Amino acid sequence: METERRYLALADIGEDALGLEERADGPTRIRGIAPPWNSWSHDLGGFRERFMPGAFRKFLERTPTDPRGRADVIAAWNHDESRLLGRTTNGTLDLRETERGLEYVATPPEGTATTAEVLPLIRGKYIFGSSFAFTVNDGGESFDTDPGGKI
């Protein structure tokens, strides 16, 4: 399966789609939504797509005793796996499906160059959304054509 990446425009995700939870009693957390449900992507070379509620449910329900293995998802700066911001298997990334979309909370490691770079960029609203990567199981997607002929 090929890993696919999607980038979302602010108009599609809302201004509160990425933010910081600054806490006096603990580390700063990054909160966001990626992807929001029912938002159409921009043209991706002849087709548009949208994620529907439940798109990640089976994956997120995996447990350590699941024969497919525990869901191991990372939050990484610009999809660079060497620049980690959180990971589900160590409890520093929490994912859950909500009525708005797939919401995440990442607790980035303190004292790393990546954390020192990313937190001020979010705080200053230099970045305001999240991209995400995923794979699709065989039969896990469906296609339609709109009245204009776009897939």
Side-chain angles (χ1 to χ4, degrees):
M1 286 182 280
E2 181 180 333
T3 299
E4 301 186 34
R5 290 180 175 81
R6 298 294 180 265
Y7 306 87
L8 306 169
L10 181 60
D12 296 331
I13 56 177
E15 291 190 30
D16 64 340
L18 177 66
L20 296 178
E21 179 185 300
E22 310 228 35
R23 305 171 17 193
D25 64 339
T28 298
R29 294 181 180 161
I30 301 169
R31 294 184 159 276
I33 299 173
W37 305 139
N38 297 306
S39 294
W40 286 100
S41 69
H42 297 281
D43 192 312
L44 299 166
F47 72 96
R48 295 176 61 203
E49 67 183 356
R50 65 182 170 160
F51 284 84
M52 305 303 290
F56 300 97
R57 185 169 299 129
K58 285 183 183 177
F59 182 79
L60 294 174
E61 289 173 348
R62 291 163 67 172
T63 65
T65 58
D66 190 314
R68 297 167 295 170
R70 185 172 181 191
D72 183 23
V73 179
I74 63 168
W77 176 238
N78 283 334
H79 299 273
D80 182 343
E81 294 184 15
S82 69
R83 303 186 75 192
L84 294 176
L85 296 168
R87 182 174 216 124
T88 56
T89 53
N90 74 355
T92 59
L93 176 62
D94 182 48
L95 301 169
R96 64 188 179 103
E97 289 193 347
T98 68
E99 62 188 37
R100 292 182 61 204
L102 183 63
E103 292 187 4
Y104 66 88
V105 177
T107 306
E110 294 184 33
T112 68
T114 300
T115 299
E117 177 183 2
V118 172
L119 294 185
L121 293 174
I122 297 170
R123 192 175 290 117
K125 304 282 186 206
Y126 292 95
I127 56 175
F128 42 78
S130 303
S131 58
F132 58 100
F134 61 96
T135 57
V136 179
N137 292 332
D138 290 338
E141 57 192 348
S142 62
F143 299 92
D144 294 315
T145 304
D146 72 14
K150 291 222 178 224
I151 299 173

